[in-house]
Every structure is written in C-alpha cells, then in structure tokens.
Amino acid sequence: MKLSTTLEALSVDPSAETDLARIALLIARDAYSSMKPRAYLRRIDRLAEQLRPRLKGSLAARTAELSTFLFEECGFAGNTEDYYDPRNSYLNKVLDRQVGLPIALSVLAMAVGQRAGLDVVGVGLPGHFIVKAVDGNEEVLFDPFNGGQFLDIEGCEELVGGVTGRPFKATPEALAATPPGAIVARMLQNLKTAYLAERDYRRGARVTRRLTQLIPADASQQRDLGVLLVQAEQFGRAVDPLRAYLRAEPGAEDAADVRKFLDRALNEVARWN
C-alpha cells in the first residue's frame, strides 16, 4: 500500500474505513526509510493476541483490561518530559520507546483494541486526543496519554480546559468519533509543528507535502510547502506550490510576502541556468 495513494483516497472520503496503524507506519517510513511496517504490524498483532482472552464482561471491564494491559503491564505512557520530540508522533518509535503523544498512543490503543475484538475509536478534543470503546449505545471514554484514565463528561471538560485554558462543552457532537482522514491530518500537523519548532525545514516540507496530498483543497498547505522548501534551499521544488497558492488565493493578505518567496526561488533557479 502506497502512502500517497492512501492519502489521496482519504482526501476524497475522509470517513473511509482504513487501518490507521498501517497508515501511521507508512508515515513513519518517510522518516525511517529502512523501517519495515509489516514487522511493527506483527508486533501490534501479538499485543492483540495477548489481550484477546482477557476481554470479558461489561464494556467498562473490557476497556479496563485494555488500559491495564497497555499502560500498566506494557508500560506505554505519554511523554511529558519531551512532548515535542518528533519521535513521539511516529508509531514505530512509540512501540520502540513506549512513549508518545496523545494521538499516537490513541492510534496504538485503537489498533490493539480493534484487533483484539474491542471497538475503539478516536475522539479529537481541542488540544488533546483521546479514545472511546463502543458497544451499541454504550461508550467508555479513556485517555491513553494519561495512563488510560477513564473520563466522564466533566472529566473531558476539565481536561480540555486545563490544556487550552478555554471553557469546553462536552456535547455528544464534540465527543463523536473522529473520521480517519481527520486523524491522519492531525498526526501530520503534529509532526509539521514539531519540525518547525526545531527549524528543520527539510523534514517539515516533507510532512507538509503529505498534507497537500491529504487536504488538496487547503491552499495554505501549498503555501507552507513552498515557503519551507525555500527555507530548505530547495528552490526548484518551491516554485510550483508557491504559484499554486497565489493562483488559489490571489487576494490573500500574505500574497505579497508569498510573492517574495516565489521571486527568491525563481532568482535562485535562474542562477543555475
């Protein structure tokens, strides 16, 4: 499965059923070219095999078994010491290092739970990502980043308020399952943010190119890709995305600044000829 093909399919139908763990590992292969996604998928399968016989009783009991298994016995945890380390967003490194961001640990919980027979879906809260186990009309919310802690409505509101500093109302719509396409976009955006914080423009551009495949209608991603490529001194590759942004948003407030980046790229390209 090619990542570009998968992202383009999700751009058409963000709700399409897909294996998020496989996509996460394909994203990781962009950064770790020798990494074998199938080997990590087998590790996830083995975790699910260990968990499956323990999933008995009520939904709350089964969810507690998943949380206990992953976050107590296996030792997976949120990385609170170095939150913005890009490795926290790559599923292979989460499996290797046993620490990660909320969304990466949530994808792991979803992958293991679903393979073991427990329906676990992602819930993208403002500023934080959690999951919920679902069985018919019954749901159990829990937080992989914080040790699999169970959450009620009030707990979700307090969690988001603590992270964002803003009031949050945990309505049924706010706690609905996040579509796969939106989860992948959030994973890529986290990586983009981490690389920008490190001023790693080359890797930031690589991730942003994936965002342009997933969200082709978002002209700002084309702009960011072009700017990052200029900053990475990859001037020839910067021209097309910068032009694409200016065609899509000719009246944008930042159009003049973007034209300066385009002029610089064109001038550098002309020097080669």
Side-chain angles (χ1 to χ4, degrees):
M1 181 173 68
K2 291 185 177 180
L3 179 56
S4 57
T5 303
T6 302
L7 295 178
E8 288 162 6
L10 283 173
S11 75
V12 175
D13 182 6
S15 297
E17 288 190 19
T18 189
D19 186 347
L20 283 170
R22 185 182 297 273
I23 294 176
L25 289 166
L26 291 175
I27 291 171
R29 193 167 60 182
D30 277 351
Y32 303 95
S33 58
S34 62
M35 186 267 292
K36 305 297 183 184
R38 289 183 181 178
Y40 284 91
L41 287 171
R42 285 194 292 270
R43 287 174 62 175
I44 293 172
D45 288 341
R46 287 195 292 271
L47 290 172
E49 289 169 5
Q50 295 175 56
L51 174 64
R52 189 176 298 114
R54 299 166 52 169
L55 296 181
K56 300 175 182 178
S58 67
L59 180 63
R62 285 175 280 149
T63 306
E65 282 294 335
L66 170 61
S67 291
T68 298
F69 175 66
L70 285 179
F71 307 115
E72 293 184 22
E73 297 173 16
C74 294
F76 290 100
N79 191 343
T80 57
E81 295 183 2
D82 194 1
Y83 188 88
Y84 294 102
D85 186 333
R87 293 176 295 178
N88 293 332
S89 292
Y90 288 120
L91 187 56
N92 62 320
K93 290 301 179 181
V94 172
L95 284 161
D96 288 342
R97 302 168 68 236
Q98 295 184 294
V99 293
L101 286 186
I103 195 167
L105 291 167
S106 293
V107 168
L108 176 63
M110 293 163 65
V112 173
Q114 290 166 1
R115 283 164 169 78
L118 183 64
D119 187 12
V120 183
V121 297
V123 178
L125 300 176
H128 199 74
F129 204 94
I130 62 171
V131 290
K132 62 181 178 180
V134 182
D135 188 355
N137 294 324
E138 190 177 1
E139 298 180 347
V140 177
L141 294 147
F142 63 104
D143 182 2
F145 188 79
N146 290 302
Q149 176 186 3
F150 279 22
L151 294 166
D152 55 15
I153 299 297
E154 182 178 328
C156 289
E157 294 174 345
E158 291 177 355
L159 175 63
V160 172
V163 172
T164 67
R166 299 176 181 177
F168 169 69
K169 186 69 173 176
T171 64
E173 292 76 18
L175 300 178
T178 302
I183 294 175
V184 176
R186 192 157 170 169
M187 293 169 63
L188 289 168
Q189 188 61 50
N190 284 342
L191 277 167
K192 179 180 176 182
T193 299
Y195 284 132
L196 288 180
E198 295 183 347
R199 299 183 181 274
D200 190 335
Y201 303 123
R202 181 178 62 84
R203 290 185 173 88
R206 184 193 66 220
V207 173
T208 306
R209 188 175 296 280
R210 293 303 190 183
L211 281 164
T212 67
Q213 294 172 339
L214 179 62
I215 323 172
D218 184 354
S220 68
Q221 298 296 345
Q222 293 286 354
R223 176 201 61 202
D224 292 354
L225 174 59
V227 169
L228 285 166
L229 288 169
V230 170
Q231 291 172 317
E233 299 186 346
Q234 297 181 20
F235 301 107
R237 298 175 63 196
V239 171
D240 285 347
L242 290 172
R243 281 177 169 165
Y245 175 71
L246 291 171
R247 284 195 302 269
E249 302 288 346
E253 291 184 2
D254 61 356
D257 293 330
V258 174
R259 287 191 187 94
K260 291 179 182 178
F261 278 99
L262 177 58
D263 289 344
R264 180 183 173 192
L266 290 170
N267 289 335
E268 292 292 338
V269 171
R271 291 174 57 189
W272 305 340
N273 297 328

